[in-house]
C-alpha cells in the first residue's frame, strides 16, 4: 500500500489549523476539504482527545503517515440525516460527506419524492427507491450498504388505509476488490396530499438519509484508535400525527479501511452501519444496509476492543484464509526514517 512522501508534514494540535477549511471557531471541530486535500500525506498523524475531524468536500478522506497514526478524538464521515416532515417547504435529503451519496428529496403536493443517490464510487451500490403518494404517503427504501454478509437494506412501508408501494430497497454491493466505497442513500418519503378524506393528515414526506462515506488510513508505524471513526448511513426523517407523509429511508453504511506495517489497536469504536428509517403514521422508511471495515496490520491479527463489536468487520484475515489479487503490479521501495537513529556520543567537556 502507498504510504505517501510526507509532503504535508506533521498533523497534530500545533498544526491542524494549516489544513482547516474556513475560520476556526475554537469549538474543537476540524474541517478539512477533501477536494482541496484528496490525498493527505503526513509524517505523523495525531487527532487529540476532544477534537472532531469533520471533513467537507465530495471526496473520501485519505490519510497516509510515514510513522504513526493516533486517533484519540473523532473522525466523522457519516451521512447526514434526512429532513423531517414539516421541517421545510420541501424537506431535503441528508447531506453527503467523505464521498458518500445524498439522500432522496421528500414528496410534496407538486413534486414526487426522489430515490436516494447511488454510491458515488460504485454505481452497482444503489440508493433506496422513493416512496409513492397514493393516499397516505409511503416510506422511502433504505440505501444499500457495502457488506453483503451483514443485514441488507429494507423496503419502506405504507401505514395508511389506501395501499401503495413502498420504496424499493437498493441492491447490495457486488465489488469485492480491496477498495473502500460509500453506501447508497435512502429514498425520500411520499407525500400525503392526495387523500381528500383526511385533510388534517395532508403533509409532505420526509427526506432520506445520506449514504455513509469512505475513510482510508495508512501508516508505516503503529495505528491506535482510542476514539471513534464513523462512516454510518444517515437516518431518514420522520413525523408525528396527524401528518401522514412517508418517512425517509436510512442511508447505507460506508467503508473504513485501515492498513499498517505496524500493529493496529482498536480500543475505541469504529462503525459503518446503516441508518434507521424514519417513522410516520403514513408509513416508515426502510433501514439502510450495513457498511464494512477492512483492518490489516503486520501480523493480520489486529487488537480489537470489546466496543468494536458494534461494527461489522467485512474482510478480516483468519487462519486458513488467503486474500489475493491478480494482475500486473509495480513494486516501489522507499527509505523511511522512523526516528530510531541516535547520534554517536563521542565525548564532553566539563567545567565547574
Amino acid at each position: 500500500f502507498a504510504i505517501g512522501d510526507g509532503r504535508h508534514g506533521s498533523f497534530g494540535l500545533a498544526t491542524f489549523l494549516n489544513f482547516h477549511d474556513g475560520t476556526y471557531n475554537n469549538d474543537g471541530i476540524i474541517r478539512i476539504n477533501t477536494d482541496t486535500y484528496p490525498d493527505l500525506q503526513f509524517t505523523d498523524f495525531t487527532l487529540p482527545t476532544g477534537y472532531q475531524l469533520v471533513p467537507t468536500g465530495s471526496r473520501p478522506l485519505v490519510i497516509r503517515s510515514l510513522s504513526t497514526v493516533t486517533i484519540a478524538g473523532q473522525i466523522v464521515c457519516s451521512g447526514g440525516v434526512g429532513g423531517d416532515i414539516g421541517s421545510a417547504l420541501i424537506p431535503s435529503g441528508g447531506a453527503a460527506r467523505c464521498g458518500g451519496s445524498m439522500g432522496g428529496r421528500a414528496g410534496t403536493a407538486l413534486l414526487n419524492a426522489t430515490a436516494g443517490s447511488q454510491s458515488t464510487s460504485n454505481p452497482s451500490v444503489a440508493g433506496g427507491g422513493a416512496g409513492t403518494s397514493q393516499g397516505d404517503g409511503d416510506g422511502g427504501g433504505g440505501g444499500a450498504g457495502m457488506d453483503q454478509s451483514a443485514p441488507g437494506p429494507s423496503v419502506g412501508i405504507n401505514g395508511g388505509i389506501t395501499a401503495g408501494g413502498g420504496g424499493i430497497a437498493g441492491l447490495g454491493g457486488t465489488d469485492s476488490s480491496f477498495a473502500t466505497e460509500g453506501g447508497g442513500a435512502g429514498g425520500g418519503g411520499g407525500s400525503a396530499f392526495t387523500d381528500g378524506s383526511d385533510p388534517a393528515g395532508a403533509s409532505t414526506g420526509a427526506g432520506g438519509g445520506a449514504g455513509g462515506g469512505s475513510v482510508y488510513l495508512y501508516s508505516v508505524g503503529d495505528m491506535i484508535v482510542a476514539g471513534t471513526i464513523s462512516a454510518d448511513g444517515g437516518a431518514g426523517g420522520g413525523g408525528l400525527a396527524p401528518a401522514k407523509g412517508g418517512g425517509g429511508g436510512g442511508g447505507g453504511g460506508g467503508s473504513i479501511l485501515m492498513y499498517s506495517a505496524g500493529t493496529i489497536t482498536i480500543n475505541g469504536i469504529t462503525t459503518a452501519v446503516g441508518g434507521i428509517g424514519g417513522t410516520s403514521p403514513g408509513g416508515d422508511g426502510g433501514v439502510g444496509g450495513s457498511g464494512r471495515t477492512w483492518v490489516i496490520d503486520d501480523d493480520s491479527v489486529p487488537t480489537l476492543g470489546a466496543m468494536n463489536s458494534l461494527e461489522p468487520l467485512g474482510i478480516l484475515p483468519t487462519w486458513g484464509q488467503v486474500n489475493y489479487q491478480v494482475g500486473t503490479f509495480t513494486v516501489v521501495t522507499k527509505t523511511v526514517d522512523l526516528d530510531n537513529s541516535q547520534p554517536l556520543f563521542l565525548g564532553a567537556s566539563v567545567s565547574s
Side-chain angles (χ1 to χ4, degrees):
F1 58 89
I3 58 175
D5 57 15
R7 70 184 66 174
H8 295 117
S10 175
F11 183 93
L13 192 58
T15 59
F16 75 82
L17 287 179
N18 296 337
F19 309 96
H20 182 75
D21 184 23
T23 302
Y24 180 59
N25 296 320
N26 290 318
D27 55 2
I29 299 178
I30 304 169
R31 303 186 188 278
I32 296 179
N33 190 323
T34 58
D35 294 323
T36 304
Y37 295 104
D39 195 339
L40 288 160
Q41 302 182 29
F42 297 115
T43 55
D44 61 274
F45 179 89
T46 299
L47 182 62
T49 302
Y51 286 81
Q52 289 184 325
L53 175 53
V54 185
T56 60
S58 62
R59 304 185 63 162
L61 176 66
V62 179
I63 295 173
R64 308 180 195 273
S65 170
L66 293 181
S67 56
T68 58
V69 169
T70 302
I71 301 169
Q74 298 176 315
I75 292 180
V76 182
C77 279
S78 297
V81 301
D84 288 332
I85 294 172
S87 63
L89 187 62
I90 305 177
S92 62
R97 182 180 291 123
C98 301
S101 49
M102 184 171 180
R105 183 198 65 218
T108 70
L110 301 176
L111 298 172
N112 291 326
T114 61
S117 301
Q118 64 191 20
S119 169
T120 56
S121 49
N122 184 355
S124 69
V125 184
T132 61
S133 301
Q134 302 174 19
D136 298 340
D138 296 338
M146 289 305 306
D147 187 354
Q148 290 185 324
S149 64
S154 62
V155 298
I157 62 174
N158 176 269
I161 299 174
T162 304
I168 300 172
L171 301 176
T174 58
D175 180 18
S176 60
S177 66
F178 279 4
T180 60
E181 289 154 351
S191 70
F193 284 99
T194 58
D195 186 0
S197 63
D198 185 13
S203 68
T204 69
S214 302
V215 182
Y216 297 74
L217 300 174
Y218 304 91
S219 68
V220 174
D222 293 342
M223 187 178 298
I224 300 174
V225 180
T228 302
I229 305 174
S230 60
D232 301 332
L240 300 174
K244 290 186 177 181
S255 296
I256 301 172
L257 178 149
M258 290 181 279
Y259 271 2
S260 173
T263 298
I264 297 177
T265 302
I266 303 176
N267 292 321
I269 300 175
T270 61
T271 175
V273 297
I276 61 175
T279 60
S280 167
D284 299 340
V287 178
S290 294
R292 61 185 177 183
T293 295
W294 296 335
V295 184
I296 307 294
D297 67 359
D298 57 349
D299 60 4
S300 296
V301 186
T303 302
L304 304 178
M307 294 299 291
N308 205 60
S309 61
L310 296 174
E311 156 66 0
L313 295 171
I315 300 179
L316 273 178
T318 58
W319 292 110
Q321 175 182 333
V322 177
N323 294 321
Y324 68 93
Q325 203 169 347
V326 298
T328 302
F329 304 93
T330 300
V331 179
V332 179
T333 61
K334 181 180 180 66
T335 300
V336 178
D337 184 355
L338 296 180
D339 297 328
N340 293 326
S341 58
Q342 301 293 332
L344 179 63
F345 185 74
L346 299 178
S349 298
V350 179
S351 62
S352 59

